[in-house]
Amino acid sequence: MLKITYSGCTMKRNTFYLLIGIVALVEVGIFWLSVRLEAPLLIQIAFILGVVLLYLARRGVEETIEDERTVMITQKAALRTLEVSWVIFFVLSLGSAVIAFSRPLGLRPPRPGPQEMFPTEALELPVFGGFAIIQMTLLCLMIFLYVGFRVYYARKYGEWDTDEEQD
Amino acid sequence: MKNRIKVYRAMHDLTQEALANAVGVTRQTILAIEKGKYDPSLELAFKIARYFGASIEEVFLYDEPTEDL
């Protein structure tokens, strides 16, 4: 249960995990609303607010949820994710560079046909959307990689080990 | 690195949770140390040893790695 103290809001560990789930659900809802309203700023602001809320809530958890072992697990997982992501990003960038250099360098020739037939907005927006989807895919890949490495190191350092004292 | 935390806990009639709270870590960390899956930092090793009123050498035993001939 939440207890309000002079120093802010304190809570149990399970309450914090519940809050993470609620925030995630709300973010999904706001994303859907943002798409419906065609207002990207809405989900962007909501996401930042959600992260700040969880950060503040995490500081208010009464029990120890982070110590030197969990910090080490996080660091190892983050480092491995960075190493793999670096290679993936570099490979993709190399591919893009090859495509770019395969074409004649310099200023692009003017588009064929009258400009009125192809309004700039109609051509630019799908390209921007495609880039955002690639970016999001790479970000999701990074998250999956991080979770995978996190699980690996957590198992290695006894995160889910049990013994006779286990509840 | 081996350790005698379990023995000292039994001597002091202490649960993993109580020891974890006393030295400021999670119960899983105490469990991982006891099982030899995680070697604590020097600071945490000192905290645990001092909590039991013992020296580090009495609680933690360093295993010399065997050399391949």
Side-chain angles (χ1 to χ4, degrees):
Chain A
M1 295 298 289
L2 289 175
K3 285 192 291 184
I4 306 299
T5 66
Y6 73 95
S7 59
C9 186
T10 61
M11 64 177 74
K12 298 276 185 193
R13 184 169 40 189
N14 287 343
T15 313
F16 173 67
Y17 293 143
L18 188 66
L19 184 67
I20 293 175
I22 292 168
V23 168
L25 283 175
V26 170
E27 293 289 347
V28 170
I30 293 175
F31 179 77
W32 175 81
L33 187 69
S34 192
V35 172
R36 294 278 295 199
L37 298 174
E38 295 183 25
L41 204 61
L42 187 64
I43 183 62
Q44 288 169 333
I45 291 171
F47 188 80
I48 291 169
L49 286 178
V51 170
V52 170
L53 174 70
L54 289 179
Y55 174 75
L56 292 175
R58 192 164 176 262
R59 292 176 62 182
V61 177
E62 290 170 337
E63 298 137 295
T64 307
I65 56 170
E66 190 179 75
D67 59 19
E68 58 175 48
R69 187 184 56 90
T70 57
V71 167
M72 188 195 66
I73 291 169
T74 304
Q75 285 175 346
K76 279 181 179 277
L79 182 65
R80 291 285 172 268
T81 306
L82 182 68
E83 286 172 348
V84 175
S85 302
W86 182 89
V87 174
I88 293 170
F89 275 74
F90 194 77
V91 165
L92 284 173
S93 301
L94 274 177
S96 304
V98 167
I99 291 169
F101 286 122
S102 303
R103 293 170 183 169
L105 296 176
L107 292 172
R108 287 184 178 181
R111 289 197 182 102
Q115 289 290 323
E116 306 85 63
M117 285 179 66
F118 303 102
T120 316
E121 298 81 23
L123 287 174
E124 297 299 329
L125 274 176
V127 174
F128 179 73
F131 175 73
I133 288 168
I134 290 171
Q135 201 178 28
M136 191 68 103
T137 309
L138 287 172
L139 194 61
C140 286
L141 180 73
M142 277 182 77
I143 291 168
F144 281 122
L145 274 173
Y146 177 75
V147 170
F149 281 124
R150 190 90 169 64
V151 168
Y152 171 76
Y153 284 112
R155 279 185 62 140
K156 188 177 177 183
Y157 294 107
E159 185 69 34
W160 296 293
D161 280 3
T162 55
D163 66 354
E164 70 274 12
E165 285 189 23
Q166 192 73 35
D167 293 333
Chain B
M1 192 161 65
K2 290 179 181 173
N3 64 78
R4 295 198 189 110
I5 293 178
K6 203 165 186 174
V7 176
Y8 273 91
R9 273 200 309 108
M11 284 162 61
H12 289 77
D13 193 22
L14 207 63
T15 62
Q16 288 171 343
E17 187 80 50
L19 177 60
N21 289 336
V23 295
V25 295
T26 60
R27 193 185 74 82
Q28 283 304 117
T29 296
I30 298 296
L31 177 59
I33 295 170
E34 280 186 4
K35 287 197 165 187
K37 285 198 164 183
Y38 172 67
D39 292 333
S41 67
L42 201 54
E43 188 185 356
L44 180 56
F46 266 111
K47 276 185 185 174
I48 293 170
R50 284 195 179 168
Y51 186 79
F52 290 129
S55 65
I56 277 200
E57 290 85 357
E58 286 172 313
V59 182
F60 296 95
L61 310 162
Y62 179 65
D63 272 344
E64 282 288 344
T66 51
E67 286 183 30
D68 294 328
L69 297 174

